[in-house]
Amino acid sequence: MEGETFASYMLSEKDWLKKMEIMYYLKKKTGIFYDNTVVFKTLLTKLFLDYLRENYPEEKIDENLVITARLLCDCMKKENATDLDDIRSYAKRGAEYLSKLGFSERFCRICEGVNRYTIQDNREPESDIIELTDQFGGMLLNRPERVGFKSDEAAVLLKYRNLKGKYNKYLDKFLEFVNFVDKVEA
């Protein structure tokens, strides 16, 4: 289709599982960062969005936008990065890359907001969701230097260390969600 961009193609796909398949092929073609951690954090995001829709229907969230942002926000991340400059700049570099693929300035800003290295104030609400699932999901996963945390430990660290003194619109609702999931699993 003439005039179609990757952005319009990706955002027009409403099935989040098909979006993950598109990401798989995009990684093969371009070498962007996409691995099991992205899949896990996207699933966590989807579950949280389902929880919000069920328990907070007044929250008007474009789930398609958030899922797409969660899938793409790490596109310029380096596997096992240790260089602090790379860690601090991957989200900004990713936003610049996504802009070239036709994504809107707001979408790129949402993706850049996955962490607070470059955007600390006037954040997009959707950035708060992907920040939570990125940090929490990352703490649950095993890493070379440590074993993954239990969900209750990760929730405490998220609130009292990672986001201490920072405003995240969805933090309390996310902690409710974690508590709900823990009760269901018990």
Side-chain angles (χ1 to χ4, degrees):
M1 184 190 295
E2 191 174 320
E4 183 176 54
T5 63
F6 177 75
S8 61
Y9 173 69
M10 189 69 162
L11 288 168
S12 69
E13 177 57 66
K14 303 299 183 198
D15 183 323
W16 69 283
L17 293 172
K18 288 181 181 172
K19 284 180 185 290
M20 290 199 304
E21 185 177 355
I22 293 167
M23 291 295 297
Y24 171 79
Y25 289 108
L26 183 65
K27 176 189 171 126
K28 286 206 168 285
K29 184 172 176 124
T30 66
I32 64 162
F33 183 83
Y34 180 73
D35 68 0
N36 289 338
T37 65
V38 176
V39 173
F40 177 70
K41 292 173 184 181
T42 302
L43 176 59
L44 184 59
T45 302
K46 175 72 171 111
L47 292 172
F48 180 53
L49 291 170
D50 291 348
Y51 177 83
L52 286 174
R53 186 178 355 94
E54 183 71 28
N55 295 284
Y56 296 96
E58 69 280 3
E59 292 284 346
K60 302 297 181 208
I61 300 167
D62 184 339
E63 294 181 25
N64 183 49
L65 181 77
V66 175
I67 292 293
T68 306
R70 178 57 260 169
L71 284 167
L72 289 163
C73 67
D74 292 335
C75 66
M76 289 292 124
K77 198 174 201 177
K78 292 185 179 173
E79 200 166 327
N80 299 321
T82 55
D83 179 19
L84 285 177
D85 287 336
D86 280 341
I87 293 168
R88 290 183 179 131
S89 67
Y90 81 85
K92 181 159 187 65
R93 286 183 287 113
E96 292 165 356
Y97 175 75
L98 294 172
S99 176
K100 292 175 185 168
L101 295 179
F103 286 96
S104 70
E105 182 179 329
R106 181 171 184 271
F107 182 88
C108 295
R109 194 172 157 74
I110 290 166
C111 292
E112 188 176 345
V114 66
N115 57 44
R116 293 177 185 251
Y117 290 120
T118 55
I119 299 176
Q120 296 180 18
D121 300 317
N122 302 318
R123 293 166 46 84
E124 300 293 338
E126 296 87 352
S127 294
D128 284 354
I129 293 171
I130 61 173
E131 173 184 54
L132 291 166
T133 58
D134 184 68
Q135 290 192 27
F136 184 78
M139 287 189 279
L140 296 180
L141 296 169
N142 291 335
R143 292 195 175 166
E145 71 276 8
R146 64 155 173 81
V147 174
F149 293 98
K150 293 179 181 174
S151 61
D152 59 338
E153 296 168 327
V156 169
L157 289 171
L158 182 67
K159 182 175 183 176
Y160 295 106
R161 182 190 69 189
N162 296 21
L163 295 177
K164 182 180 179 179
K166 295 177 176 75
Y167 175 73
N168 183 301
K169 178 178 180 178
Y170 295 101
L171 177 60
D172 292 336
K173 291 173 182 157
F174 187 78
L175 295 174
E176 285 175 21
F177 160 72
V178 170
N179 190 39
F180 170 77
V181 171
D182 282 349
K183 284 181 182 175
V184 170
E185 288 181 350

